[in-house]
Amino acid sequence: MSTISDGATTDDGAATDGDAAADVDIPDKRRAWRPRIPGGRLALPAGARPYVAPLALYGVTKLVGLGVFAWLLESAGEYHKKKPRFGGGAHWWDVLGTWDGWWYLQVAEKGYDPRPLERLDPGGMFTVKQNSVAFFPLYPGMIRTVSEITGLGLFGSGLLVSVLASFVAAAGIYAVISLLAGARAGTIAAGLWAVAPGAGVEWAVYSESVFVAIAAWTCHCVMKRRWVAAGLLAFLAGLNRPTSAALIGAVGLAALVTLARRESRREHGVAGPVYAMCAAPLGLLTYITWVGLSMGDLTAYFTLQKDGWAHYFDFGDYTFDVLRNTAIGKHDYIFAFSVPDLLAVQLVLALPFLIALMLRKRPPLVLVAYTLAGIVSVLGTQQMFGNTSRYLLPCFPLLLAPAAAMSRLKLPSLVVFFTTAAVASGWYAHYVIFELGIP
């Protein structure tokens, strides 16, 4: 079965056949992979029906993985011995609000306190006291808003925001992949994102689900040439995570290439791409500038990340050091966690293969730029290597080729795969990062 994405790609980021599917009807045999309900179709609007299958697959696989995670936590019982802030709690679900989740809940409850950088005694790993301004405001702001509207506590609101956002993200992944490889592949891609390494944070008090939801629909808007919406969504992404720089750059590049070609200027106009280019970086720049001004140092955010969390761009030195150590069976590097690191090494080794397969499908420029920039930012930064799977979760276009290939499988084979993957994900995507490492 050939895929629409086999068409050529134009310089403005739109594939002449492939991602121009945004403007072309997909053949019926590839569009309608929907659940068959006895007695008729689902009583849903026509526009919502295509999303039933991918969201159902995503939700079921996530529930299975979460159930296995809970069973493993209870079997080990180690979380009872840990502090609530550092991976512990009275119940297994409390673990989902620890580590970074604790910081987000602090911001949701108390807001920020951007004091000048406070230096610590030299000689330790961290030389600056940690501050909550390192965590961007969109996600904790959503937690606080949901809590005030619903009356739920902040922890429950954080989980609710993440779970709902994860379904929006799954729908966005489906929308993007289905334009390039058909509805069946789009549905499979949503399921693959549910069982991807590191997917445990999708239903935790972490900002990944919100970011991927924004990123997927931003890319979809660019592919459909909805520049105003793309600019606004990229603006919001900049208020959610610093890694939004990859998305912002991809939107700007796609808009710039569109403006550079006379044909695309005539077809799409000038105002929309210019607006997207200008609006996209404003959220990120505004927040980082606010942190700098509030703390009395325009580089305060970056100093805080480097000296307070030991996270900074080092052009891949740390990644190479981990790969070298792992190859010779040693752990002579900071943030060493044997099991998460070993799984992360395997993922890094698979990246060239996944990138090559993605490029072979000739996706639009915005997806290529976003994915490659995201990968460079992850592998080029010193941070907890065991969390590489979590950091790469936003790179959903890597799912394009596997999803397209798996779309040729028959239903029984897919059932066996997703059943196995859902059960296994409770360990490698949840337990490994929350219990055997630090998410």
Side-chain angles (χ1 to χ4, degrees):
M1 181 177 63
S2 62
T3 61
I4 293 178
S5 58
D6 289 335
T9 307
T10 62
D11 291 336
D12 68 350
T16 54
D17 293 320
D19 79 73
D23 303 310
V24 178
D25 283 339
I26 299 172
D28 289 343
K29 66 179 181 179
R30 303 181 55 196
R31 174 171 19 199
W33 195 50
R34 300 167 183 160
R36 297 182 179 180
I37 307 299
R41 291 186 175 182
L42 291 175
L44 292 173
R49 289 174 191 154
Y51 295 94
V52 172
L55 295 185
L57 177 61
Y58 175 80
V60 170
T61 51
K62 285 299 300 179
L63 282 172
V64 172
L66 188 65
V68 173
F69 173 52
W71 177 74
L72 290 173
L73 280 178
E74 292 291 356
S75 297
E78 294 296 323
Y79 73 92
H80 290 297
K81 306 173 186 177
K82 299 178 181 179
K83 295 181 179 180
R85 177 178 171 182
F86 302 114
H91 309 93
W92 69 265
W93 56 81
D94 293 329
V95 175
L96 301 173
T98 58
W99 299 108
D100 283 7
W102 181 88
W103 283 101
Y104 283 121
L105 293 174
Q106 290 294 300
V107 175
E109 179 183 0
K110 303 174 182 177
Y112 292 114
D113 184 17
R115 300 176 181 179
L117 292 170
E118 183 178 340
R119 295 290 175 178
L120 302 176
D121 294 334
M125 181 184 299
F126 307 120
T127 58
V128 167
K129 185 176 181 179
Q130 296 178 341
N131 190 292
S132 61
V133 295
F135 296 84
F136 277 49
L138 180 62
Y139 179 59
M142 295 173 70
I143 294 175
R144 181 62 176 265
T145 301
V146 169
S147 179
E148 292 182 351
I149 292 175
T150 64
L152 284 173
L154 293 176
F155 174 72
S157 297
L159 287 180
L160 179 61
V161 170
S162 291
V163 171
L164 292 179
S166 74
F167 280 96
V168 176
I173 292 171
Y174 165 82
V176 170
I177 302 301
S178 64
L179 285 178
L180 303 175
R184 189 179 179 91
T187 298
I188 292 170
L192 290 176
W193 193 64
V195 297
V201 297
E202 293 169 13
W203 284 11
V205 187
Y206 276 66
S207 64
E208 270 76 6
S209 289
V210 172
F211 179 73
V212 176
I214 296 172
W217 286 107
T218 300
C219 292
H220 186 265
C221 287
V222 172
M223 293 167 64
K224 299 284 277 185
R225 296 300 182 258
R226 295 168 181 162
W227 292 107
V228 173
L232 288 173
L233 287 172
F235 168 83
L236 286 176
L239 295 174
N240 189 63
R241 293 179 65 83
T243 51
S244 61
L247 179 66
I248 292 166
V251 171
L253 181 60
L256 184 63
V257 173
T258 298
L259 292 172
R261 300 184 73 252
R262 181 180 303 175
E263 296 81 1
S264 58
R265 286 200 307 271
R266 290 176 179 174
E267 181 180 358
H268 305 295
V270 173
V274 169
Y275 174 85
M277 290 175 60
C278 294
L282 291 182
L284 179 63
L285 294 177
T286 298
Y287 182 70
I288 291 179
T289 301
W290 175 81
V291 171
L293 293 174
S294 300
M295 302 186 79
D297 180 357
L298 288 178
T299 63
Y301 178 82
F302 304 101
T303 303
L304 185 62
Q305 284 284 351
K306 181 177 181 180
D307 297 339
W309 269 272
H311 291 183
Y312 62 95
F313 193 79
D314 66 351
F315 298 93
D317 285 347
Y318 176 72
T319 298
F320 178 77
D321 190 31
V322 176
L323 295 176
R324 179 182 61 83
N325 270 271
T326 304
I328 60 178
K330 294 185 178 181
H331 295 89
D332 187 21
Y333 53 91
I334 64 170
F335 305 133
F337 296 94
S338 57
V339 175
D341 291 353
L342 183 59
L343 293 180
V345 166
Q346 295 175 10
L347 179 58
V348 170
L349 294 178
L351 280 178
F353 185 61
L354 291 173
I355 293 171
L357 289 178
M358 179 190 71
L359 295 178
R360 189 171 180 270
K361 288 294 182 180
R362 299 182 181 180
L365 176 63
V366 66
L367 295 183
V368 174
Y370 167 63
T371 303
L372 295 183
I375 292 172
V376 169
S377 69
V378 171
L379 300 186
T381 299
Q382 175 180 291
Q383 49 198 348
M384 290 187 180
F385 187 79
N387 288 340
T388 298
S389 58
R390 170 195 156 200
Y391 301 142
L392 289 175
L393 268 181
C395 298
F396 68 90
L398 292 174
L399 302 175
L400 171 59
M406 291 179 64
S407 68
R408 301 183 181 95
L409 298 176
K410 294 183 179 180
L411 184 58
S413 298
L414 291 173
V415 170
V416 171
F417 171 82
F418 278 109
T419 300
T420 305
V423 172
S425 71
W427 178 73
Y428 69 76
H430 294 74
Y431 188 81
V432 165
I433 62 173
F434 275 99
E435 191 69 4
L436 302 183
I438 299 176

